[in-house]
Amino acid sequence: MSVESRLADLGLTLPEAPAPAANYVPFVVVGNLVHISGQISQNEAGLIKGKLGADLSIEQGADAARRCALSLLAQLKRACDGDLSRVVRAVKLVGFVNSSPDFIDQPKVINGASDLMVAVLGDAGRHARSAVSAASLPLGVAVEIEALFEIR
């Protein structure tokens, strides 16, 4: 089953690949690896802001992470000239969670992105991962995730 078919079956649509907010590029292709810059949590209504452990629940954080994953896939699609069949596998996700000092469930938040990668890419979506806390994130967003993918 194609990535596009899996997205459709899940009722998901990729957003437009977000433009960089500063002096960097959204992705860099080196050989068969695509390094995707951090994608911040946002949806159709705008930025998903807040601090886990203070303003947002784990479920809200996981949804914010899913939104980051959709933006990662949108950037990946651009890097693959619109052809997601070129994706071999997700290699690594690095997730940053805007957290209160006592919040310890960063992995549960980033599971929102990890679960989406597996749902969309199947076994090729299984990846290495880091899930870390941040005192704050750009623009006050709840989650930011960067990724590395292998393509053909």
Side-chain angles (χ1 to χ4, degrees):
M1 180 180 277
S2 74
V3 173
E4 301 287 351
S5 297
R6 285 188 179 140
L7 285 165
D9 285 351
L10 294 168
L12 299 172
T13 305
L14 293 182
E16 290 295 318
N23 188 17
Y24 62 91
V25 294
F27 59 84
V28 173
V29 179
V30 179
N32 64 341
L33 297 176
V34 180
H35 300 259
I36 301 178
S37 296
Q39 300 297 297
I40 59 175
S41 52
Q42 56 188 328
N43 59 26
E44 302 79 21
L47 298 175
I48 301 171
K49 296 182 176 185
K51 191 172 283 291
L52 276 291
D55 310 315
L56 301 172
S57 68
I58 292 170
E59 294 76 21
Q60 289 170 310
D63 183 61
R66 275 189 289 281
R67 297 301 184 138
C68 292
L70 288 171
S71 292
L72 288 166
L73 290 170
Q75 295 292 3
L76 182 60
K77 185 174 181 175
R78 282 189 60 215
C80 291
D81 299 319
D83 183 7
L84 287 172
S85 71
R86 293 180 56 199
V87 176
V88 174
R89 70 170 300 125
V91 177
K92 184 164 186 182
L93 298 184
V94 180
F96 302 93
V97 181
N98 187 352
S99 306
S100 62
D102 59 341
F103 186 76
I104 60 169
D105 288 319
Q106 292 80 8
K108 290 180 183 176
V109 171
I110 302 304
N111 280 346
S114 294
D115 292 347
L116 185 120
M117 289 298 171
V118 173
V120 172
L121 300 174
D123 282 340
R126 298 190 186 286
H127 52 272
R129 186 182 88 176
S130 299
V132 298
S133 180
S136 67
L137 288 173
L139 306 172
V141 297
V143 178
E144 180 175 355
I145 303 175
E146 65 181 58
L148 178 64
F149 290 90
E150 180 185 3
I151 61 172
R152 51 176 84 70

